[in-house]
């Protein structure tokens, strides 16, 4: 009888406690961590249970955080997409098509069309990197460009003023390349100012020739003052 009591106290009872906690875990019920000083098989089982539940709790927390971040990224993506034009403007003498597809949920590519006083200003831009940081730069730049179109005479002035306010508001390692065009409706002339963007491809329908034209200039937010490095040219 004494042997049975000792066995119940040292082996059977602690083992049953562990099994009850395992059952609670497997059936989705509340469970408790196991505390024991034993170093035998019972102690190993208790340690295994504690490590398993700790890992599960960590994974659960990670999944919840991922879902939260995914929801916020989807919202940010929708906000960014709403900033981009849904339809192309109808302009005299021009046929326009533009589309962007970000590499991640949020991207740094941008374009827009802004008409004022018989002229339409439009641009293509690309912020450094991809993801949230580049998306934020894109949205700030978009707001600044839209603001300065209303008070500037040409594309150079718009980019100079945008750079002035963009530079102190983003990290030193980040910038945005861009080329902005100005289409004069009455004369159907096209002017542009480059800010370190990709080469322009100009196709001449009459001759079938194609010109590669460096956009020129320097990317926005590279320098505090970019005025001397930007020039508006006619295409």
């Amino acid at each position: 009888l004494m042997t049975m009591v000792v066995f119940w106290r040292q082996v059977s009872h602690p083992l049953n406690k562990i099994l009850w906690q395992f059952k609670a875990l497997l059936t989705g019920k509340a469970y408790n961590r196991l505390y024991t000083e034993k170093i035998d098989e019972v102690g190993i089982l208790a340690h295994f249970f504690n490590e398993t539940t700790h890992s599960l709790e960590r994974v659960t927390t990670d999944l919840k955080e991922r879902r939260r971040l995914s929801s916020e990224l989807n919202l940010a993506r929708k906000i960014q997409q709403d900033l981009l034009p849904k339809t192309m403007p109808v302009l005299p003498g021009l046929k326009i098509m533009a589309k962007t597809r970000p590499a991640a949920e949020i991207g740094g590519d941008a374009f827009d069309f802004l008409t004022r006083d018989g002229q339409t200003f439009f641009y293509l831009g690309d912020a450094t990197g991809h993801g949230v940081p580049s998306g934020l730069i894109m949205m700030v730049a978009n707001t600044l460009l839209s603001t300065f179109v209303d008070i500037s005479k040409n594309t150079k002035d718009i980019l100079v003023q945008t750079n002035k306010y963009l530079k102190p508001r983003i990290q030193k390692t980040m910038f945005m390349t861009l080329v902005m065009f100005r289409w004069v409706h009455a004369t159907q002339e096209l002017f542009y100012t480059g800010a370190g963007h990709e080469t322009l491809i100009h196709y001449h329908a009459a001759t079938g020739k194609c010109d590669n034209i460096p956009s020129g200039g320097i990317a926005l937010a590279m320098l505090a003052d970019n005025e001397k490095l930007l020039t508006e040219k006619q295409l």
Side-chain angles (χ1 to χ4, degrees), residues 172-191:
K172 294 181 180 179
T173 57
M174 307 204 71
F175 55 88
M176 182 172 187
T177 64
L178 186 142
V179 59
M180 178 168 244
F181 299 89
R182 178 169 63 91
W183 178 251
V184 183
H185 298 184
T187 61
Q188 297 193 5
E189 294 176 301
L190 183 64
F191 301 86

Side-chain angles (χ1 to χ4, degrees), residues 10 53 72 81 83 104-105 125 131 225:
Q10 295 185 356
T53 54
E72 291 181 359
Q81 289 176 343
L83 289 175
E105 289 87 350
D225 185 359

Side-chain angles (χ1 to χ4, degrees), residues 167-225:
K167 172 63 176 175
R169 287 168 173 79
I170 64 175
Q171 296 180 7
K172 294 181 180 179
T173 57
M174 307 204 71
F175 55 88
M176 182 172 187
T177 64
L178 186 142
V179 59
M180 178 168 244
F181 299 89
R182 178 169 63 91
W183 178 251
V184 183
H185 298 184
T187 61
Q188 297 193 5
E189 294 176 301
L190 183 64
F191 301 86
Y192 74 94
T193 298
H197 202 58
E198 299 290 341
T199 298
L200 307 178
I201 299 176
H202 182 197
Y203 174 72
H204 301 266
T207 62
K209 293 183 178 180
C210 193
D211 296 332
N212 292 328
I213 306 171
S215 64
I218 187 171
L220 300 179
M222 290 287 285
L223 297 174
D225 185 359

Side-chain angles (χ1 to χ4, degrees), residues 117-128:
D117 300 335
Q119 301 181 106
T120 295
F121 296 82
F122 53 98
Y123 73 88
L124 302 171
D126 182 15
T128 49

Side-chain angles (χ1 to χ4, degrees), residues 115-146:
T115 298
R116 173 179 67 84
D117 300 335
Q119 301 181 106
T120 295
F121 296 82
F122 53 98
Y123 73 88
L124 302 171
D126 182 15
T128 49
H130 60 272
V132 175
S134 60
L136 290 173
I137 294 175
M138 170 266 183
M139 287 187 277
V140 172
N142 180 279
T143 302
L144 292 172
L145 290 165
S146 301

